[in-house]
Amino acid sequence: MLASPIISVIYQHGRFTAEMTRQTAGALQFYAIGLVSYAVLKVLTPAFYAIGKRNTPMVVSFLAIGANLFLNWLFTFRLGWGHRGLAFSTSIVATMNFLLLYGLMRRHTRRLETRQTLIGLSKICLAGVLLALVCWVANYWWLDAWPDLRFFQKLGALLVAIACSATAFFGAAFLLRVSEVQDIIEVFRSRFRRAL
């Protein structure tokens, strides 16, 4: 939700215009849809090599390439989404790739603690909804005069928005007892105790 302000602060200088920022932000938003799948694939794919199923990720990759070609054609040329279509098809294919590999891994290992994973993911999604709400408020409250601000004003306003969003997300995740956040806090507590 903060794609345009972030791209603007980083790139919108000199020849990089506001229209270029808008176009780049559009691609970033569609790529963001597949971020979770990209991250999980980095863990899941090597796991097949660890259990001796080296051909499985390769076969799934070939299927993903075929799906990617079709979706690129559909979104870019048929529906006319341009570069946004390429980003969206990449995200969809990454998600399909993850779901297929996850299903195959579950079949091989018989147990992947799917229930616990879904519970944790649900909690993270709830925290993410709060984060999105804070970003939405930021866009329509203190970032609404964005075109009229100078660079350091933009940077300051953006950092405040990011800090508030991150605080809301981690605060909600902590209250919902997301185990990863609890682990991070415990690490900081132990280091703080050692420093004392």
Side-chain angles (χ1 to χ4, degrees), residues 1-13 16-18 20-29 32 35 131 135-136 138-139 142-143 146-147 149-151 153-166:
M1 297 191 73
L2 297 177
S4 291
I6 290 171
I7 296 296
S8 174
V9 164
I10 296 173
Y11 294 113
Q12 196 175 320
H13 313 287
F16 202 96
T17 64
M20 292 176 181
T21 293
R22 192 178 69 81
Q23 295 291 342
T24 306
L28 179 63
Q29 287 166 339
L35 272 179
L131 181 146
C135 290
W136 181 81
N139 271 324
W142 67 82
L143 298 180
W146 188 263
L149 298 177
R150 294 185 178 182
F151 173 75
Q153 290 175 319
K154 288 180 178 180
L155 181 61
L158 180 60
L159 290 176
V160 169
I162 291 172
C164 291
S165 303

Side-chain angles (χ1 to χ4, degrees), residues 21-158:
T21 293
R22 192 178 69 81
Q23 295 291 342
T24 306
L28 179 63
Q29 287 166 339
F30 280 110
Y31 276 124
I33 294 170
L35 272 179
V36 173
S37 298
Y38 302 142
V40 175
L41 283 172
K42 294 295 181 183
V43 178
L44 194 54
T45 302
F48 280 92
Y49 291 90
I51 64 172
K53 301 288 183 181
R54 300 179 181 178
N55 292 332
T56 304
M58 182 183 66
V59 172
V60 172
S61 306
F62 283 130
L63 293 174
I65 290 169
N68 203 7
L69 288 171
F70 170 73
L71 290 174
N72 282 343
W73 170 80
L74 177 65
F75 293 135
T76 305
F77 298 107
R78 196 73 181 158
L79 299 178
W81 290 6
H83 66 287
R84 289 181 178 85
L86 295 175
F88 190 44
S89 67
T90 302
S91 292
I92 289 176
V93 169
T95 304
M96 290 168 52
N97 198 350
F98 154 64
L99 291 173
L100 190 53
L101 285 177
Y102 188 87
L104 291 169
M105 179 60 78
R106 194 165 186 267
R107 184 178 167 191
H108 290 309
T109 60
R110 303 293 179 194
R111 187 168 179 266
L112 276 179
E113 298 187 356
T114 303
R115 184 172 176 274
Q116 288 85 346
T117 302
L118 289 175
I119 291 171
L121 189 60
S122 299
K123 291 178 180 180
I124 291 170
C125 286
L126 283 173
V129 168
L130 183 59
L131 181 146
L133 181 62
V134 173
C135 290
W136 181 81
V137 169
N139 271 324
Y140 290 95
W141 186 21
W142 67 82
L143 298 180
D144 58 339
W146 188 263
D148 303 323
L149 298 177
R150 294 185 178 182
F151 173 75
F152 286 108
Q153 290 175 319
K154 288 180 178 180
L155 181 61
L158 180 60

Side-chain angles (χ1 to χ4, degrees), residues 174 178-190:
F174 177 75
V178 175
S179 58
E180 291 79 6
V181 175
Q182 301 280 344
D183 292 342
I184 291 170
I185 291 172
E186 192 55 42
V187 167
F188 280 108
R189 279 179 180 167
S190 61

